[in-house]
Amino acid sequence: MLRRAAALRERLVACGITKYSEGSGFWQRPAPARRVILVPGQVASDASLRLGAPGIRSNMALLSTVRAANPNSHIVYKPHPDVSAGLRAAGFDEAQALRWCDEIVTGVPMGRLLQQVDEVHVLTSLSGFEALLRGKSVVCYGLPFYAGWGLSRDHLSLARRTRRLKLDELVAGALIAYPVYISRLHGGRSSPERALEELLAWRGASSSRPEPWRLLWRSVLRMAVGAR
């Protein structure tokens, strides 16, 4: 199981798979920066913030806390992709993000950003798990599923988590043993490895779609979902 988890993790990282693989923009780590910290934004109405962040609960509260603790670091803030796309509302005071960060980055795939930063500071964002997969240092201010196992630096404690896990033990539990995968091709149960290959094939096919269709699809989503 651990060998399988390691192979799956390596394949995910090599293919640049993240929850949101949006955009094709480019970002370059600032040459003078000694330490670069990425702070991923979350949707303000996300249930994981309401239930998994008993202390700090907003993007700007997180960003200001990270800045106060790391005054000499280069801090990059990446708004949530659904907020950037207009599908969800921005959080309170989000327009003031540059008060606490050095730059705001949008349209750059998360996998590409993670390759160039030193640390990722999160509330409950899945980006923290994606950073762990890539061997990055992760600091948690909330209680996501990957916190409390000794793999991240945690500001909160969770009494029921008494074990210490290796990364591939967490990967095995979170991506192999726990989920149920359904094939988008035949609708039956699938494996994480097969689901990944289907996802890669889907990504390859969608990348050849004409840009006007993408813009039309995004407009339909905005009307159907609405920013809330």
Side-chain angles (χ1 to χ4, degrees):
M1 177 68 84
L2 290 179
R3 287 195 296 270
R4 183 182 175 191
L8 179 60
R9 171 178 53 79
E10 291 167 3
R11 179 77 168 139
L12 284 166
V13 173
C15 295
I17 293 295
T18 60
K19 179 180 178 181
Y20 290 93
S21 298
E22 93 295 348
S24 58
F26 178 79
W27 181 80
Q28 181 64 50
R29 176 191 177 103
R34 292 186 177 181
R35 185 171 62 151
V36 178
I37 296 175
L38 173 63
V39 179
Q42 293 184 243
V43 175
S45 59
D46 194 332
S48 73
L49 292 181
R50 187 173 69 254
L51 302 175
I56 299 172
R57 194 170 289 179
S58 72
N59 293 326
M60 294 304 100
L62 171 63
L63 199 55
S64 62
T65 299
V66 174
R67 170 54 76 196
N70 303 275
N72 299 318
S73 295
H74 186 92
I75 298 178
V76 178
Y77 177 63
K78 188 179 192 301
H80 192 279
D82 284 346
V83 173
S84 298
L87 298 174
R88 290 291 185 268
F92 174 75
D93 214 21
E94 193 134 346
Q96 304 298 316
L98 284 173
R99 290 175 57 189
W100 301 290
C101 69
D102 295 282
E103 58 180 313
I104 300 172
V105 175
T106 59
V108 179
M110 178 59 76
R112 193 171 297 171
L113 276 177
L114 290 175
Q115 291 174 353
Q116 301 188 66
V117 303
D118 301 301
E119 297 181 3
V120 179
H121 290 233
V122 300
L123 289 171
T124 60
S125 172
L126 189 64
S127 300
F129 180 61
E130 295 169 343
L132 288 176
L133 297 182
R134 290 157 174 80
K136 300 297 179 178
S137 176
V138 175
V139 181
C140 296
Y141 297 78
L143 297 170
F145 71 91
Y146 51 84
W149 306 110
L151 297 170
S152 55
R153 303 202 322 262
D154 306 321
H155 282 248
L156 301 175
S157 61
L158 199 58
R160 69 175 182 267
R161 291 183 186 164
T162 58
R163 296 178 58 191
R164 287 295 176 263
L165 299 181
K166 296 179 181 179
L167 177 59
D168 287 329
E169 290 175 331
L170 177 64
V171 172
L175 296 183
I176 299 176
Y178 177 78
V180 174
Y181 293 88
I182 304 298
S183 170
R184 66 176 298 267
L185 299 181
H186 56 73
R189 293 179 70 134
S190 186
S191 67
E193 293 86 356
R194 182 58 193 163
L196 174 58
E197 296 309 315
E198 290 183 6
L199 181 60
L200 291 171
W202 190 15
R203 184 175 71 175
S206 65
S207 65
S208 62
R209 185 184 303 164
E211 187 64 24
W213 284 103
R214 296 187 183 207
L215 297 176
L216 177 60
W217 177 242
R218 183 60 54 83
S219 298
V220 170
L221 281 176
R222 286 197 185 100
M223 289 185 293
V225 178
R228 60 178 185 268

mmCIF file with all atom_site columns, all heavy atoms in Angstrom, residues 44 47 67 114 118 155 179 196:
data_model
loop_
_atom_site.group_PDB
_atom_site.id
_atom_site.type_symbol
_atom_site.label_atom_id
_atom_site.label_alt_id
_atom_site.label_comp_id
_atom_site.label_asym_id
_atom_site.label_entity_id
_atom_site.label_seq_id
_atom_site.pdbx_PDB_ins_code
_atom_site.Cartn_x
_atom_site.Cartn_y
_atom_site.Cartn_z
_atom_site.occupancy
_atom_site.B_iso_or_equiv
_atom_site.pdbx_formal_charge
_atom_site.auth_seq_id
_atom_site.auth_comp_id
_atom_site.auth_asym_id
_atom_site.auth_atom_id
_atom_site.pdbx_PDB_model_num
ATOM 1  N N   . ALA A 1 44  ? -15.107 32.568 1.244   1.00 0.00 ? 44  ALA A N   1
ATOM 2  C CA  . ALA A 1 44  ? -15.487 33.002 2.595   1.00 0.00 ? 44  ALA A CA  1
ATOM 3  C C   . ALA A 1 44  ? -16.624 32.169 3.186   1.00 0.00 ? 44  ALA A C   1
ATOM 4  O O   . ALA A 1 44  ? -16.686 31.977 4.402   1.00 0.00 ? 44  ALA A O   1
ATOM 5  C CB  . ALA A 1 44  ? -15.872 34.479 2.565   1.00 0.00 ? 44  ALA A CB  1
ATOM 6  N N   . ALA A 1 47  ? -17.781 25.817 4.020   1.00 0.00 ? 47  ALA A N   1
ATOM 7  C CA  . ALA A 1 47  ? -18.128 25.133 5.269   1.00 0.00 ? 47  ALA A CA  1
ATOM 8  C C   . ALA A 1 47  ? -16.887 24.700 6.039   1.00 0.00 ? 47  ALA A C   1
ATOM 9  O O   . ALA A 1 47  ? -16.929 24.591 7.267   1.00 0.00 ? 47  ALA A O   1
ATOM 10 C CB  . ALA A 1 47  ? -19.007 23.918 4.973   1.00 0.00 ? 47  ALA A CB  1
ATOM 11 N N   . ARG A 1 67  ? 1.898   37.830 7.884   1.00 0.00 ? 67  ARG A N   1
ATOM 12 C CA  . ARG A 1 67  ? 2.815   38.964 7.729   1.00 0.00 ? 67  ARG A CA  1
ATOM 13 C C   . ARG A 1 67  ? 3.437   39.349 9.073   1.00 0.00 ? 67  ARG A C   1
ATOM 14 O O   . ARG A 1 67  ? 4.656   39.599 9.154   1.00 0.00 ? 67  ARG A O   1
ATOM 15 C CB  . ARG A 1 67  ? 2.083   40.161 7.124   1.00 0.00 ? 67  ARG A CB  1
ATOM 16 C CG  . ARG A 1 67  ? 2.865   41.475 7.145   1.00 0.00 ? 67  ARG A CG  1
ATOM 17 C CD  . ARG A 1 67  ? 4.246   41.309 6.492   1.00 0.00 ? 67  ARG A CD  1
ATOM 18 N NE  . ARG A 1 67  ? 4.159   41.264 5.049   1.00 0.00 ? 67  ARG A NE  1
ATOM 19 C CZ  . ARG A 1 67  ? 5.138   40.827 4.263   1.00 0.00 ? 67  ARG A CZ  1
ATOM 20 N NH1 . ARG A 1 67  ? 6.258   40.338 4.794   1.00 0.00 ? 67  ARG A NH1 1
ATOM 21 N NH2 . ARG A 1 67  ? 5.004   40.811 2.959   1.00 0.00 ? 67  ARG A NH2 1
ATOM 22 N N   . LEU A 1 114 ? 3.624   26.156 -6.433  1.00 0.00 ? 114 LEU A N   1
ATOM 23 C CA  . LEU A 1 114 ? 4.173   25.346 -5.349  1.00 0.00 ? 114 LEU A CA  1
ATOM 24 C C   . LEU A 1 114 ? 5.618   24.942 -5.599  1.00 0.00 ? 114 LEU A C   1
ATOM 25 O O   . LEU A 1 114 ? 6.386   24.750 -4.658  1.00 0.00 ? 114 LEU A O   1
ATOM 26 C CB  . LEU A 1 114 ? 3.312   24.101 -5.140  1.00 0.00 ? 114 LEU A CB  1
ATOM 27 C CG  . LEU A 1 114 ? 1.918   24.340 -4.548  1.00 0.00 ? 114 LEU A CG  1
ATOM 28 C CD1 . LEU A 1 114 ? 1.114   23.053 -4.511  1.00 0.00 ? 114 LEU A CD1 1
ATOM 29 C CD2 . LEU A 1 114 ? 2.007   24.951 -3.161  1.00 0.00 ? 114 LEU A CD2 1
ATOM 30 N N   . ASP A 1 118 ? 8.719   28.399 -0.657  1.00 0.00 ? 118 ASP A N   1
ATOM 31 C CA  . ASP A 1 118 ? 9.345   27.642 0.431   1.00 0.00 ? 118 ASP A CA  1
ATOM 32 C C   . ASP A 1 118 ? 8.323   27.103 1.420   1.00 0.00 ? 118 ASP A C   1
ATOM 33 O O   . ASP A 1 118 ? 8.477   26.006 1.952   1.00 0.00 ? 118 ASP A O   1
ATOM 34 C CB  . ASP A 1 118 ? 10.342  28.535 1.179   1.00 0.00 ? 118 ASP A CB  1
ATOM 35 C CG  . ASP A 1 118 ? 11.433  29.058 0.258   1.00 0.00 ? 118 ASP A CG  1
ATOM 36 O OD1 . ASP A 1 118 ? 12.142  28.233 -0.338  1.00 0.00 ? 118 ASP A OD1 1
ATOM 37 O OD2 . ASP A 1 118 ? 11.560  30.293 0.135   1.00 0.00 ? 118 ASP A OD2 1
ATOM 38 N N   . HIS A 1 155 ? -0.966  25.427 14.418  1.00 0.00 ? 155 HIS A N   1
ATOM 39 C CA  . HIS A 1 155 ? -1.248  26.411 15.451  1.00 0.00 ? 155 HIS A CA  1
ATOM 40 C C   . HIS A 1 155 ? -2.340  25.926 16.396  1.00 0.00 ? 155 HIS A C   1
ATOM 41 O O   . HIS A 1 155 ? -2.498  26.470 17.484  1.00 0.00 ? 155 HIS A O   1
ATOM 42 C CB  . HIS A 1 155 ? -1.646  27.744 14.815  1.00 0.00 ? 155 HIS A CB  1
ATOM 43 C CG  . HIS A 1 155 ? -0.483  28.523 14.290  1.00 0.00 ? 155 HIS A CG  1
ATOM 44 N ND1 . HIS A 1 155 ? -0.058  29.705 14.851  1.00 0.00 ? 155 HIS A ND1 1
ATOM 45 C CD2 . HIS A 1 155 ? 0.371   28.279 13.263  1.00 0.00 ? 155 HIS A CD2 1
ATOM 46 C CE1 . HIS A 1 155 ? 0.994   30.163 14.194  1.00 0.00 ? 155 HIS A CE1 1
ATOM 47 N NE2 . HIS A 1 155 ? 1.271   29.312 13.222  1.00 0.00 ? 155 HIS A NE2 1
ATOM 48 N N   . PRO A 1 179 ? -11.481 7.198  -0.251  1.00 0.00 ? 179 PRO A N   1
ATOM 49 C CA  . PRO A 1 179 ? -12.434 7.654  -1.276  1.00 0.00 ? 179 PRO A CA  1
ATOM 50 C C   . PRO A 1 179 ? -13.026 6.503  -2.084  1.00 0.00 ? 179 PRO A C   1
ATOM 51 O O   . PRO A 1 179 ? -12.467 5.406  -2.163  1.00 0.00 ? 179 PRO A O   1
ATOM 52 C CB  . PRO A 1 179 ? -11.587 8.562  -2.181  1.00 0.00 ? 179 PRO A CB  1
ATOM 53 C CG  . PRO A 1 179 ? -10.264 8.717  -1.503  1.00 0.00 ? 179 PRO A CG  1
ATOM 54 C CD  . PRO A 1 179 ? -10.100 7.537  -0.611  1.00 0.00 ? 179 PRO A CD  1
ATOM 55 N N   . LEU A 1 196 ? -6.982  9.029  -12.285 1.00 0.00 ? 196 LEU A N   1
ATOM 56 C CA  . LEU A 1 196 ? -5.955  10.000 -12.658 1.00 0.00 ? 196 LEU A CA  1
ATOM 57 C C   . LEU A 1 196 ? -5.697  9.964  -14.153 1.00 0.00 ? 196 LEU A C   1
ATOM 58 O O   . LEU A 1 196 ? -5.594  11.011 -14.803 1.00 0.00 ? 196 LEU A O   1
ATOM 59 C CB  . LEU A 1 196 ? -4.666  9.718  -11.886 1.00 0.00 ? 196 LEU A CB  1
ATOM 60 C CG  . LEU A 1 196 ? -3.438  10.556 -12.267 1.00 0.00 ? 196 LEU A CG  1
ATOM 61 C CD1 . LEU A 1 196 ? -3.727  12.045 -12.113 1.00 0.00 ? 196 LEU A CD1 1
ATOM 62 C CD2 . LEU A 1 196 ? -2.239  10.154 -11.425 1.00 0.00 ? 196 LEU A CD2 1
#
